[in-house]
């Protein structure tokens, strides 16, 4: 019956149209703005650019799940597509793969449409239009950077495409993609101001910071170091004094934040609190939990590894005397939750966080603390905290890493690392007198792991370092004293992290894309 109704409506519309005047179809719709009439004012360009900004980040779930597919996090619900990636069970038909590809190319097509049309009118403020074009080129370059890191060779399109044209694209060699990203971000940085009057808009520092990241990902270390230094030398960024408060409302738009995805309560809110909060606060979510492998990366406050016999680590009090960033980033046994309750994930503790008490309670005995604030406790789906995509600490560590990998090691490398470690409420011991490349490489990698945990970067780091295959196997959780008084470590039996080094450093090209476009080829092993 519904198909019959549709047919009748079509026939009725056709009958009406045959009796209309010839100019009936030329009547502009009154429920939308047609493209031909839209591009006529500077404000149209501003509105169109605003429509591209959401492509900086798909959503809070995407942000959180990158680390869930790495060694520092675990996806709680095994039916999630990210869980399939975690255990190496994904394939070209996986919806996660298709969604990431589609989102990126939707944003790229939108950016191309903007750039193709924004010059179709005489602007009142040409400098404004130039700035907006630079902002959109940065977003497009970031999308291509994500695609290149995940898929390798990808179709490179810089113009608005018809459906037919899109189905004829071929994959562009990744080195050409990196060249494009670098040149686009360079050109954008030349136009963009160091600060913007409108909060959240892309700046020169954001363009240069993303360029440094792209060059680092592309292993162009000398250029990456130079570009990171350009960001440092802008003189507009500094570390926020409190790591503990940096991911809450108090630090919004601080001088440390270079690029973020802006959210606003009641208008354009995120659900990051809902996604990450422990089960005892908000049941039936808790999508991502930290692993023991992550917790063990945080050294003692004296700078020594917990496995060092001189570190002072106490297995009976494992979270005492540690790098303060552990307590600021992860809920551990005895932590105070945003609702004022004490976090107790021990099995049989009787709390909603007890391991094994429900499908959504923590599997590891840990929960993510970043971005969870008491202000969002009453309404977990109405979070207005911006999600950080690039901050100054990352730039300092990228500078240090690039110099190390280029084997251009000097005191500035140590200074950059120590600036991050020396944040007032972190105050980890300074690194001194170390100029060995291999040793410094491990130091800066460890520093990235703990400084940037749960900010969506670890998955990309372990893949570009080619160490992902070494971080597989059983996931472990908290160590606690059981009812017999013995120390017991949680092991997630029945779930093994898997990574095929001959296949998984590239994601498969989505199956549907291969069906639609026979010019695309598949990555090896898929």
């Amino acid at each position: 019956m519904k198909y019959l109704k549709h047919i009748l409506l079509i026939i009725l519309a056709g009958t009406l149209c045959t009796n209309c005047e010839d100019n009936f179809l030329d009547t502009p719709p009154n429920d939308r703005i047609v493209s031909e009439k839209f591009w006529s004012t500077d404000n149209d360009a501003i509105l169109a650019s605003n429509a591209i900004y959401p492509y900086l980040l798909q959503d809070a779930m995407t942000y959180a799940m990158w680390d869930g597919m790495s060694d520092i996090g675990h996806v709680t619900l095994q039916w999630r597509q990210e869980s399939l990636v975690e255990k190496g069970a994904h394939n070209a038909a996986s919806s996660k793969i298709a969604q990431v590809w589609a989102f990126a190319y939707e944003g790229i097509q939108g950016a191309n449409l903007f750039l193709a049309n924004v010059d179709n009118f005489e602007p009142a403020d040409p400098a404004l239009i130039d700035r907006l074009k630079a902002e959109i080129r940065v977003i497009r370059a970031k999308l291509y950077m994500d695609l290149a890191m995940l898929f390798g060779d990808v179709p490179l399109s810089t113009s608005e495409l018809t459906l037919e044209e899109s189905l004829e694209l071929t994959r562009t060699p990744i080195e050409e993609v990196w060249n494009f990203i670098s040149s686009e971000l360079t050109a954008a940085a030349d136009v963009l101001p160091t600060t913007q009057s409108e909060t959240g808009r892309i700046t020169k520092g954001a363009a240069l910071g993303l360029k440094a990241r792209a060059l680092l990902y592309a292993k162009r270390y000398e250029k990456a170091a130079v570009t990171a230094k350009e960001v440092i030398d802008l003189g507009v960024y500094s570390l926020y004094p409190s790591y503990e408060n940096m991911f809450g409302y108090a630090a919004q738009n601080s001088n440390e934040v270079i690029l973020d995805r802006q959210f606003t309560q009641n208008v354009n809110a995120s659900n990051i609190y809902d996604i990450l909060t422990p089960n005892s606060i908000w049941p039936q979510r808790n999508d991502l939990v930290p692993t023991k492998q992550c917790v063990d990366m945080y050294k003692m406050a004296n700078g020594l590894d917990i496995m060092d016999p001189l570190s002072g680590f106490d297995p009976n009090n494992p979270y005492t005397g540690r790098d303060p960033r552990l307590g600021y980033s992860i809920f551990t046994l005895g932590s105070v939750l945003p609702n004022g309750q004490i976090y107790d994930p021990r099995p049989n503790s009787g709390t909603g966080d007890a391991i094994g008490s429900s499908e959504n309670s923590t599997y590891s005995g840990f929960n993510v603390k970043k971005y969870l604030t008491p202000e969002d406790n009453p309404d977990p789906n109405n979070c207005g905290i911006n999600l950080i995509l690039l901050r100054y600490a990352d730039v300092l560590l990228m500078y240090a890493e690039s110099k190390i990998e280029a084997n251009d090691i000097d005191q500035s490398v140590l200074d950059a690392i120590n600036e991050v470690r020396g944040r007032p409420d972190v105050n980890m011991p300074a690194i001194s007198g170390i100029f060995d490349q291999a040793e410094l490489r491990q130091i800066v990698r460890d520093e990235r792991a703990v400084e940037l945990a749960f900010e969506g970067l670890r998955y990309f780091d372990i893949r570009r370092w080619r160490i992902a295959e070494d971080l597989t196997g059983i996931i472990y959780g908290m160590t606690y004293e059981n009812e017999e008084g013995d120390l017991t470590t949680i092991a997630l039996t029945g779930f093994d992290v898997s990574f095929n080094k001959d296949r998984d450093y590239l994601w498969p090209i989505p199956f549907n894309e291969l069906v639609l476009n026979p010019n695309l080829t598949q990555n090896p092993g898929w």
Side-chain angles (χ1 to χ4, degrees):
M1 283 296 295
K2 68 178 182 179
Y3 296 113
L4 179 59
K5 290 178 181 178
H6 290 165
I7 294 170
L8 290 173
L9 286 172
I10 292 170
I11 294 173
L12 177 61
T15 302
L16 291 172
C17 286
T18 58
N19 293 305
C20 291
E21 296 181 5
D22 291 341
N23 65 352
F24 175 80
L25 295 178
D26 294 330
T27 303
N30 57 17
D31 62 342
R32 68 187 68 91
I33 301 174
V34 295
S35 178
E36 292 78 7
K37 296 184 179 296
F38 176 77
W39 297 99
S40 57
T41 68
D42 289 7
N43 191 58
D44 289 345
I46 293 172
L47 293 174
S49 71
N50 292 346
I52 308 300
Y53 262 80
Y55 287 97
L56 281 171
L57 175 68
Q58 185 169 359
D59 51 34
M61 179 65 78
T62 302
Y63 185 84
M65 284 297 116
W66 289 123
D67 282 345
M69 296 184 290
S70 77
D71 59 322
I72 67 171
H74 171 61
V75 181
T76 305
L77 300 173
Q78 295 188 28
W79 51 262
R80 289 197 62 86
Q81 287 289 308
E82 294 85 358
S83 181
L84 297 180
V85 177
E86 190 182 0
K87 55 192 174 187
H90 57 301
N91 56 50
S94 296
S95 62
K96 175 68 178 181
I97 309 299
Q99 287 166 4
V100 170
W101 177 283
F103 177 80
Y105 277 109
E106 285 172 11
I108 290 166
Q109 175 76 336
N112 289 342
L113 185 150
F114 175 93
L115 295 169
N117 289 277
V118 73
D119 290 324
N120 288 347
F121 67 96
E122 191 68 31
D125 184 356
L128 167 67
I129 302 305
D130 288 342
R131 174 173 64 79
L132 293 177
K133 288 193 290 187
E135 292 173 20
I136 299 309
R137 290 172 76 178
V138 170
I139 295 173
R140 183 175 64 178
K142 181 186 181 300
L143 290 168
Y144 271 121
M145 177 165 53
D146 294 341
L147 286 168
M149 279 299 294
L150 294 168
F151 298 99
D153 301 347
V154 292
L156 179 61
S157 170
T158 60
S159 60
E160 185 182 357
L161 298 175
T162 65
L163 177 60
E164 291 74 18
E165 290 170 336
S166 70
L167 298 180
E168 296 176 355
L169 291 172
T170 59
R171 298 175 67 182
T172 304
I174 190 170
E175 287 304 311
E176 293 183 30
V177 178
W178 288 128
N179 290 342
F180 171 77
I181 293 168
S182 179
S183 64
E184 282 290 282
L185 293 172
T186 299
D190 288 341
V191 174
L192 290 166
T194 54
T195 60
Q196 293 262 30
S197 58
E198 188 177 357
T199 301
R201 286 208 170 267
I202 293 169
T203 61
K204 179 187 293 288
L208 290 173
L210 289 176
K211 179 184 172 184
R213 180 180 289 172
L215 291 168
L216 184 63
Y217 285 2
K219 303 186 186 304
R220 302 176 184 182
Y221 299 120
E222 294 87 353
K223 292 181 179 179
V226 170
T227 306
K229 188 64 164 57
E230 288 184 67
V231 181
I232 295 169
D233 290 344
L234 289 175
V236 298
Y237 302 109
S238 60
L239 296 180
Y240 189 71
S242 173
Y243 191 92
E244 180 179 17
N245 298 321
M246 187 166 58
F247 303 94
Y249 288 97
Q252 293 283 77
N253 305 307
S254 74
N255 286 342
E256 179 159 353
V257 177
I258 301 175
L259 180 66
D260 58 13
R261 171 72 158 83
Q262 297 263 318
F263 291 97
T264 305
Q265 287 178 315
N266 303 315
V267 178
N268 177 34
S270 86
N271 62 337
I272 191 69
Y273 189 102
D274 174 35
I275 290 166
L276 297 178
T277 194
N279 190 62
S280 63
I281 296 179
W282 190 248
Q284 301 307 310
R285 284 309 298 259
N286 189 28
D287 289 279
L288 166 71
V289 296
T291 62
K292 174 179 170 61
Q293 290 91 325
C294 176
V295 172
D296 288 353
M297 290 180 184
Y298 293 86
K299 293 180 169 50
M300 298 297 290
N302 58 21
L304 297 178
D305 189 274
I306 63 171
M307 300 304 294
D308 190 320
L310 301 178
S311 68
F313 175 71
D314 180 3
N316 292 292
N317 297 284
Y319 316 118
T320 302
R322 303 286 291 276
D323 180 334
R325 287 172 292 189
L326 171 58
Y328 300 151
S329 303
I330 298 174
F331 289 119
T332 58
L333 178 63
S335 295
V336 179
L337 295 171
N339 63 359
Q341 301 298 311
I342 301 300
Y343 183 67
D344 188 355
R346 293 174 298 176
N348 304 318
S349 67
T351 71
D353 298 316
I355 295 171
S357 62
S358 75
E359 182 185 34
N360 294 87
S361 60
T362 175
Y363 278 75
S364 64
F366 306 116
N367 273 100
V368 177
K369 189 174 184 179
K370 278 184 178 178
Y371 292 112
L372 301 190
T373 68
E375 295 94 321
D376 288 322
N377 193 58
D379 191 357
N381 287 296
N382 190 25
C383 181
I385 297 175
N386 304 328
L387 299 181
I388 299 172
L389 304 175
L390 176 66
R391 57 186 176 93
Y392 187 56
D394 188 5
V395 170
L396 290 170
L397 294 177
M398 286 194 290
Y399 171 76
E401 182 183 349
S402 299
K403 295 268 286 184
I404 292 166
E405 293 301 331
N407 205 18
D408 181 20
I409 300 169
D410 55 23
Q411 185 61 39
S412 70
V413 172
L414 305 186
D415 292 343
I417 297 172
N418 288 333
E419 187 172 350
V420 176
R421 292 168 64 88
R423 193 190 303 265
D425 70 343
V426 174
N427 197 29
M428 289 292 286
I431 305 297
S432 63
I434 301 175
F435 296 95
D436 176 75
Q437 185 185 39
E439 188 173 359
L440 279 175
R441 177 182 291 130
Q442 191 59 53
I443 287 172
V444 78
R445 289 182 179 185
D446 290 345
E447 196 65 28
R448 285 187 66 84
V450 298
E451 173 69 22
L452 303 171
F454 312 112
E455 296 178 46
L457 296 173
R458 180 67 176 177
Y459 183 70
F460 295 93
D461 281 350
I462 62 175
R463 291 168 79 253
R464 67 185 178 85
W465 293 333
R466 311 292 288 193
I467 62 171
E469 71 267 24
D470 301 325
L471 306 173
T472 57
I474 295 174
I475 295 174
Y476 292 96
M478 66 180 292
T479 298
Y480 69 102
E481 187 176 299
N482 63 22
E483 295 176 353
E484 288 74 35
D486 299 322
L487 291 179
T488 300
T489 299
I490 296 295
L492 279 67
T493 56
F495 187 103
D496 283 357
V497 175
S498 179
F499 191 95
N500 181 348
K501 66 181 179 62
D502 298 320
R503 184 196 71 170
D504 292 342
Y505 278 111
L506 291 177
W507 276 8
I509 304 301
F511 175 74
N512 285 345
E513 301 298 329
L514 297 174
V515 172
L516 291 169
N517 183 359
N519 295 311
L520 296 179
T521 57
Q522 186 55 278
N523 279 322
W526 296 102

